[in-house]
Amino acid sequence: MLIKERIRAAQHSTNVCADIEGFDFQNYDARDIAEIRRLWLQYGVLRFKRTRITDDDQVRFSRNFGEFVIHPKQLQEGGHPTHPEILVISNVMKDGKPSGALGNSEATWHTDTWFYERPPAGAILRAIAVPPSGGDTYFLSTYIAYDTLPETLKKAVAGRQIFFQNVYDKTGKLRLGKTEPASSDFREWSGIVHPLVRTHGETGRKALYLGGTIEGAWIVGMPLDESRSLLAQLWDHTTGSKDVFVQVWEEGDIMMWDNRCTMHRRDSFDPSSIRIMHRTTTSGERPV
Ligand code: OGA
Ligand code: MN
């Protein structure tokens, strides 16, 4: 009989991510999953280096962490031919059309699908093909962002709600199923309201929630100028953190993040190189 290795976690100095060793994606039990879950909640981001797993393995593993969510991009360019649970992130063109989401450009700081009422709890992103350089992915903790706020800002955000318009994406394209709004004031557009400071349902810790952009965001009830200036300060504070973990991908690497207490961004890369990722997404609660 094979003796299983013990699962070990080594935290990076950035506080945001831990490397996991000793987890076998083809041979695990409920206790191993409970351990991974505990570590995921503790660190926010877990990395599994150079795994050799299949799409089936990834889907099966993800199922242990909640219901699948279909990411809007899966209904657009990021659908997987055989696994509806998987979002394909790729810059490869097939017959003149993208065969995956995100292309080769930079993806600026965000938390996933913040413009939904119930943003996902987690994402599991696995590298299928990586370019020789570029396309690194950065992670930060929004627990740390909240905890390190100066007292004046902590007071300013207490009990506040944030409105995000959800008609246009960050590149100015209409989101799936949305139509041009009539009003010139984005606060009257279709959108979603979340708490600016959310309390994580499982850890009970507070995290700053800035979604994916402060353009088209408004702190509900605050004069617009004041809201803009406060949001800019919060954004700079959060994304200026020194506690950023940079993932330089190798084939087979998996990043598993808690979307309720982290943000991430991705560098652009040379469009003539190939970068392909397979991602699964699990459902989350409405932020409170
Ligand atoms: C994502 C994302 C970054 C990357 O999957 O949500 O932002 O590295 N991807 O491709
Ligand atoms: Mn993302």
Side-chain angles (χ1 to χ4, degrees), residues 55-56 58-59 73-88 99 126 128 277-279:
D55 287 339
D56 281 339
Q58 183 175 350
V59 167
K73 292 244 161 28
Q74 263 158 277
L75 306 171
Q76 298 160 292
E77 64 276 20
H80 186 291
T82 53
H83 289 69
E85 304 90 347
I86 291 179
L87 164 69
V88 179
S99 65
R126 169 171 146 254
I128 307 296
M277 303 278 174
H278 285 181
R279 166 179 150 161

Side-chain angles (χ1 to χ4, degrees), residues 16-17 36-47 65 110-112 119-125 139-143 198-205 207-209 255-264 282-285:
V16 199
C17 176
I36 296 294
R37 185 173 191 89
R38 190 184 68 75
L39 294 165
W40 178 59
L41 292 173
Q42 178 179 345
Y43 294 105
V45 184
L46 301 182
R47 176 167 76 170
F65 299 91
H110 63 280
T111 175
D112 291 323
I124 295 169
L125 184 64
F139 295 87
L140 63 78
S141 160
T142 54
Y143 290 143
R198 64 181 291 188
T199 303
H200 194 293
E202 291 176 87
T203 66
R205 292 182 68 187
L208 200 56
Y209 197 66
M255 299 303 286
M256 172 175 178
W257 63 87
D258 186 335
N259 196 49
R260 300 163 288 188
C261 56
T262 61
M263 291 173 81
H264 55 279
T282 56
S283 74
E285 63 273 24

Side-chain angles (χ1 to χ4, degrees), residues 14-25:
T14 59
N15 294 312
V16 199
C17 176
D19 269 319
I20 303 300
E21 279 171 38
F23 180 79
D24 180 349
F25 284 84

Side-chain angles (χ1 to χ4, degrees), residues 71 87 89-90 101-103 107-108 110-113 123-125 135-139 247 249 255 257 259 264-267 269 275-281:
H71 190 282
L87 164 69
I89 292 175
S90 167
L102 286 184
T108 56
H110 63 280
T111 175
D112 291 323
T113 42
I124 295 169
L125 184 64
D136 300 345
T137 308
Y138 301 61
F139 295 87
Q247 159 66 351
W249 294 92
M255 299 303 286
W257 63 87
N259 196 49
H264 55 279
R265 61 168 285 260
R266 181 192 86 178
D267 277 342
F269 55 96
R275 186 182 189 274
I276 303 172
M277 303 278 174
H278 285 181
R279 166 179 150 161
T280 40
T281 309

